[in-house]
Amino acid sequence: MSDEIDLTAALPLAQAVDGEATQETAPESELDRKINEHFAGAVVRKDLVKAVKGNAIVPSYVLEFLLGQYAASDDEATIQAGIDKVRGILAQHYVHRNESELVKSKIREKGRFRIIDKVSVTLNEKDDVYQASFANLGISGVIVEASTVNANQKLLVGGVWCLCDIEYFHNEDARVVPWILGSLKPIQMSNFDYQGYLESRAKFTTDEWIDLLIQSIGFNPEMFGRRAKLLQLIRLIPFVERNYNLVELGPKGTGKSHIYSEFSPHGMLISGGEVTVPKLFVNNANGRIGLVGYWDVVAFDEFAGKKKRTDKALVDIMKNYMANKSFSRGVETLGAEASMVFVGNTSHTVPYMLKHSDLFDELPESYHDSAFLDRLHFYIPGWEVDTIRSEMFSDGYGFVVDYIAEVLKSMRNLDYSDRYQRYFTLGSDISTRDRDGIHKTFSGLMKLLYPHEQATHKEIEEILRFAIEGRKRVKDQILRIDDTMVDVKFGYNSLTAGWTAVTTLEEDEYPSHYYRGRAVATGAEPAAEIPATATDRPISPAPVPAELFQGQRDFVENQRGVSYENLLLPYLQGATGIEFHDPYIRQPHQGRNLVELLALIAAAKDPADEVAFKLFTLLEDDTEYQQRQLQMLSQIVNGAAQQGIKVDVGKDPGGHDRWIRTDTGWRINLGRGLDIFQKSDGGWFDFGTTRQEFRQVKAFGVTYIRESV
């Protein structure tokens, strides 16, 4: 049996309570009433998707297409009837892979049957016919009329979810496929009223509109601050802006790829390692255009990974396409409008990357290239995005995904990039490529937030600063990679208030690591040296004595003045590897104790350093309690990783001993482990909640042993 504990076995809280959560609905808010008033028929309650999805592996936009037809209402009875209708449609017509033979039998027995499946089409050059394949039904070679393919060309690249009528006619000729495509209807809207969309937008304040957009992508806006909301909405810019190049790198579990797989029928999400030149751009053997010719957005999932093998030819063609919006097919040059999105996970903290490399450190070597990176218009700081939790999902109203997807697609023809110029001008030394990146982000945010163009001076300044920051993050990291690049003063001039410099958040938090000796390019006089700030230096809560105590210390019941800070931290400081054995990290208060210890370790180290923390514990026997324990441990692991502590959880070999060992040579035997404090109310106004020294302890002992390093 493995000594590792699989934290992925923990069910998300939402999953555990789905059956009950969908039966209860929160009271309709004032915003929801306003949404239903001005966008009647184009919105749906977002929690309904979970209610109808069941075990159907189908994108959200497919489900919302159906919900938009049957449950786009604020009347509870109508909604429930709509849910029942959609459930019935999915139960009867959605093809599960493991039931494909049953569906085939229905088609044969009935002669004609309607299904919901993902359909892709290829051209059979030998017979000069188009043939369809059905992903879940598992049949292929079905003849498709050329007119159907011409009207839905995305069938040729990646496939499209469709409502199809399939017929069956057996032929004695074994070469003839018995399946016949009677009709095919892609699951997407055919039309919408754009002018009505603009008029309805004017009825909402900016805050209300942002919250409507956040609810439309499935999140509860009350769980996000203003900056966090804007970071979520940046992910939509590739859908509304042509040839927009976006990168997002950050910790796992923050929903980086969700938008591109679930949000729009105009986006295609592919694994970074599965793309080839013919698939992405053009197949020179047959002249067929690849994904960029048909999709508005092509997103590369799991793009990070230093050791990933990459095709140098693909990188070169991609660089040319991202810069010039074109690629070659033999002697012919073709243009395309697809935006490119690159998302991947980071394995180190921001200060660690800034100290040892750069914020693009996780990319494969071929892409860790200044020429490629300089084509990126915006870098979303994924480390600022919260890990997705069940309470973050919305039960309010948002746009039916397919409706807002069509709105965004229609706005790709518009250009709002100059709308700031009546108030502001960019810095004079900002290069053309930097300016293009800023303009495209600004234009995208204007289309998303102010499509009716009624933005105030302050609102325009907010999104201009955001656009500059995202491009600055790209350029500043390129300067680390390529010293031939020229430093740039990023900022803007107000026609009334003069120059304003723009910085990134990580630049303000970790200046000495961010600049690493180079001067600040803010428009002020260059500094000879960047001083460390309070957040940039290691925090030492207490001076470490030259000689630490060795031996036994005993504490009596009700004693105060004891904390992990004075009891354990002096022995843990400077360690890069810590081993902690405690079989009883099971209950919430025990998890809190562990978090308090990890937080002390994180605060005491340089933010750019990392500590490996190995926890050995045991799992609850009861399945329900074990799930809660695993979920708690998973949250602790994810939270610690953001602070540069890599927690690895393993199974305790047995016994009741609780102890700590460090790679600096200390072993600390803990009689009670971390559970040394007496139970208290622990409310917000309890001093013990803020400082451990104010809490009473149980009777316990600690032994400090100096071992050889």
Side-chain angles (χ1 to χ4, degrees):
M1 179 178 290
S2 170
D3 290 334
E4 299 300 315
I5 291 178
D6 180 14
L7 299 184
T8 61
L11 285 172
L13 206 54
Q15 201 174 333
V17 299
D18 262 358
E20 299 172 12
T22 55
Q23 302 304 315
E24 300 179 6
T25 60
E28 189 177 66
S29 68
E30 183 60 38
L31 175 59
D32 285 336
R33 283 191 286 271
K34 195 169 182 178
I35 291 170
N36 272 298
E37 177 185 352
H38 296 291
F39 287 102
V43 294
V44 68
R45 215 177 66 208
K46 288 295 171 172
D47 59 331
L48 300 185
V49 174
K50 282 193 298 181
V52 302
K53 189 163 188 174
N55 62 346
I57 306 173
V58 59
S60 295
Y61 66 81
V62 174
L63 299 176
E64 291 194 15
F65 173 84
L66 297 171
L67 287 168
Q69 291 186 323
Y70 299 104
S73 170
D74 59 353
D75 177 68
E76 198 62 38
T78 303
I79 289 173
Q80 193 56 52
I83 290 175
D84 293 341
K85 178 70 173 178
V86 173
R87 280 175 171 161
I89 291 172
L90 287 174
Q92 188 173 5
H93 300 292
Y94 173 76
V95 180
H96 294 272
R97 281 196 175 97
N98 60 350
E99 296 178 354
S100 60
E101 293 303 318
L102 176 61
V103 177
K104 289 179 188 177
S105 175
K106 286 182 180 180
I107 299 171
R108 180 184 183 277
E109 298 305 318
K110 294 184 177 184
R112 183 184 181 99
F113 189 71
R114 176 163 291 181
I115 66 168
I116 299 174
D117 202 349
K118 189 174 184 180
V119 184
S120 57
V121 172
T122 57
L123 174 63
N124 182 335
E125 296 97 337
K126 182 179 178 181
D127 297 333
D128 191 29
V129 293
Y130 289 106
Q131 296 176 322
S133 298
F134 294 77
N136 290 354
L137 189 57
I139 62 175
S140 59
V142 182
I143 303 299
V144 185
E145 293 292 333
S147 58
T148 301
V149 176
N150 291 332
N152 304 280
Q153 294 197 351
K154 287 181 183 176
L155 290 167
L156 294 165
V157 277
V160 177
W161 284 90
C162 301
L163 290 167
C164 302
D165 288 319
I166 305 295
E167 301 174 4
Y168 181 87
F169 182 79
H170 181 68
N171 194 299
E172 295 297 331
D173 187 347
R175 294 172 299 176
V176 177
V177 175
W179 310 105
I180 301 168
L181 181 61
S183 68
L184 179 148
K185 180 185 178 183
I187 294 179
Q188 56 191 60
M189 292 183 67
S190 57
N191 58 71
F192 68 96
D193 179 8
Y194 180 62
Q195 191 57 41
Y197 173 82
L198 296 181
E199 292 171 0
S200 295
R201 162 63 184 97
K203 307 292 186 183
F204 291 77
T205 66
T206 298
D207 287 338
E208 288 173 338
W209 185 254
I210 289 175
D211 287 355
L212 167 53
L213 292 176
I214 292 296
Q215 287 186 179
S216 295
I217 60 179
F219 290 128
N220 179 358
E222 293 182 3
M223 301 297 297
F224 297 82
R226 176 76 164 214
R227 180 177 172 86
K229 292 175 185 177
L230 290 178
L231 287 174
Q232 291 288 342
L233 296 181
I234 288 287
R235 293 170 170 173
L236 296 181
I237 293 181
F239 293 101
V240 77
E241 194 72 21
R242 290 172 173 167
N243 300 104
Y244 187 74
N245 305 322
L246 177 67
V247 65
E248 179 176 358
L249 301 175
K252 62 183 179 180
T254 56
K256 291 183 287 293
S257 60
H258 170 80
I259 288 287
Y260 311 107
S261 63
E262 299 279 325
F263 181 77
S264 171
H266 305 303
M268 168 61 69
L269 179 70
I270 55 178
S271 171
E274 293 180 358
V275 69
T276 61
V277 172
K279 182 176 181 179
L280 188 59
F281 292 106
V282 64
N283 188 329
N284 284 326
N286 56 26
R288 188 178 301 156
I289 305 301
L291 297 171
V292 297
Y294 297 96
W295 297 90
D296 289 350
V297 179
V298 178
F300 299 82
D301 195 13
E302 300 174 355
F303 188 69
K306 289 183 179 181
K307 297 181 180 180
K308 280 192 174 181
R309 293 167 55 185
T310 53
D311 181 352
K312 184 66 168 59
L314 174 64
V315 178
D316 291 339
I317 296 175
M318 194 179 295
K319 281 193 287 190
N320 181 68
Y321 172 76
M322 291 167 66
N324 304 316
K325 311 176 185 64
S326 63
F327 55 95
S328 297
R329 176 170 65 177
V331 296
E332 182 183 9
T333 299
L334 301 172
E337 299 179 0
S339 295
M340 308 287 271
V341 179
F342 308 94
V343 297
N345 295 333
T346 54
S347 55
H348 297 286
T349 63
V350 171
Y352 181 95
M353 290 187 285
L354 291 175
K355 180 178 180 179
H356 297 284
S357 53
D358 56 77
L359 297 180
F360 288 112
D361 180 56
E362 300 286 346
L363 296 188
E365 185 178 351
S366 296
Y367 292 102
H368 197 261
D369 169 72
S370 60
F372 170 78
L373 299 176
D374 204 25
R375 271 79 169 162
L376 297 171
H377 298 130
F378 197 99
Y379 186 146
I380 296 179
W383 47 88
E384 289 189 41
V385 181
D386 269 352
T387 302
I388 303 302
R389 306 182 303 277
S390 60
E391 63 267 26
M392 295 170 70
F393 295 109
S394 174
D395 59 3
Y397 285 84
F399 289 121
V400 174
V401 161
D402 203 43
Y403 171 80
I404 190 63
E406 294 305 314
V407 171
L408 300 186
K409 181 178 179 64
S410 72
M411 287 196 287
R412 287 169 73 87
N413 297 323
L414 305 176
D415 181 11
Y416 285 18
S417 63
D418 63 350
R419 301 303 195 267
Y420 70 89
Q421 293 177 1
R422 54 182 165 169
Y423 302 117
F424 309 102
T425 59
L426 296 178
S428 58
D429 68 339
I430 291 180
S431 70
T432 299
R433 191 160 280 169
D434 295 328
R435 195 174 297 266
D436 287 347
I438 294 167
H439 279 177
K440 290 182 79 68
T441 302
F442 177 82
S443 177
L445 284 173
M446 277 292 295
K447 294 178 196 177
L448 288 169
L449 303 183
Y450 311 105
H452 57 329
E453 301 191 61
Q454 296 176 23
T456 66
H457 175 284
K458 186 177 180 180
E459 289 169 339
I460 286 178
E461 183 175 17
E462 177 186 36
I463 63 175
L464 179 62
R465 285 183 65 95
F466 218 76
I468 295 173
E469 178 193 333
R471 175 58 190 178
K472 184 182 192 295
R473 184 172 289 108
V474 172
K475 191 62 172 282
D476 284 356
Q477 301 313 303
I478 293 174
L479 289 170
R480 293 166 169 258
I481 299 169
D482 186 350
D483 56 13
T484 66
M485 286 281 187
V486 179
D487 209 344
V488 177
K489 298 181 182 69
F490 280 92
Y492 56 91
N493 279 297
S494 168
L495 302 183
T496 57
W499 173 257
T500 299
V502 174
T503 59
T504 67
L505 193 56
E506 61 273 11
E507 178 179 6
D508 297 332
E509 290 179 328
Y510 313 107
S512 62
H513 295 314
Y514 195 89
Y515 295 106
R516 287 206 309 220
R518 70 181 179 89
V520 193
T522 62
E525 289 297 318
E529 184 178 350
I530 310 301
T533 66
T535 58
D536 204 39
R537 288 194 299 264
I539 300 171
S540 299
V544 181
E547 292 292 334
L548 293 175
F549 172 79
Q550 299 183 52
Q552 176 77 14
R553 292 181 66 188
D554 292 304
F555 299 85
V556 298
E557 185 177 347
N558 293 340
Q559 185 172 340
R560 298 181 192 268
V562 181
S563 69
Y564 298 158
E565 187 174 328
N566 55 38
L567 191 71
L568 301 175
L569 186 59
Y571 297 86
L572 304 181
Q573 281 185 288
T576 58
I578 299 173
E579 187 178 320
F580 175 44
H581 289 252
D582 188 334
Y584 300 106
I585 305 296
R586 300 180 176 183
Q587 302 302 315
H589 76 278
Q590 295 166 334
R592 173 190 164 182
N593 290 337
L594 177 59
V595 168
E596 289 181 348
L597 177 64
L598 293 171
L600 272 178
I601 297 170
K605 71 178 184 64
D606 186 314
D609 293 339
E610 294 183 340
V611 173
F613 189 97
K614 182 75 174 181
L615 168 66
F616 293 91
T617 192
L618 295 176
L619 296 180
E620 291 274 15
D621 294 328
D622 183 272
T623 302
E624 180 181 350
Y625 285 106
Q626 185 180 111
Q627 288 296 325
R628 295 182 184 276
Q629 180 189 12
L630 288 170
Q631 186 180 47
M632 177 185 75
L633 291 172
S634 178
Q635 291 176 353
I636 292 173
V637 168
N638 292 335
Q642 295 178 27
Q643 308 306 325
I645 300 181
K646 297 191 172 184
V647 178
D648 187 20
V649 184
K651 295 178 182 177
D652 192 271
H656 294 273
D657 288 351
R658 287 165 254 194
W659 48 275
I660 296 174
R661 174 176 283 138
T662 72
D663 61 0
T664 54
W666 284 101
R667 174 175 170 130
I668 307 170
N669 292 338
L670 304 167
R672 287 185 174 273
L674 300 180
D675 196 7
I676 61 175
F677 298 106
Q678 295 185 30
K679 185 177 181 181
S680 66
D681 292 338
W684 287 108
F685 308 114
D686 182 348
F687 275 46
T689 301
T690 303
R691 296 287 299 184
Q692 290 180 334
E693 292 92 334
F694 299 124
R695 297 162 68 181
Q696 292 179 310
V697 301
K698 306 170 185 176
F700 73 98
V702 181
T703 307
Y704 303 96
I705 303 169
R706 182 67 175 174
E707 300 179 327
S708 58
V709 181

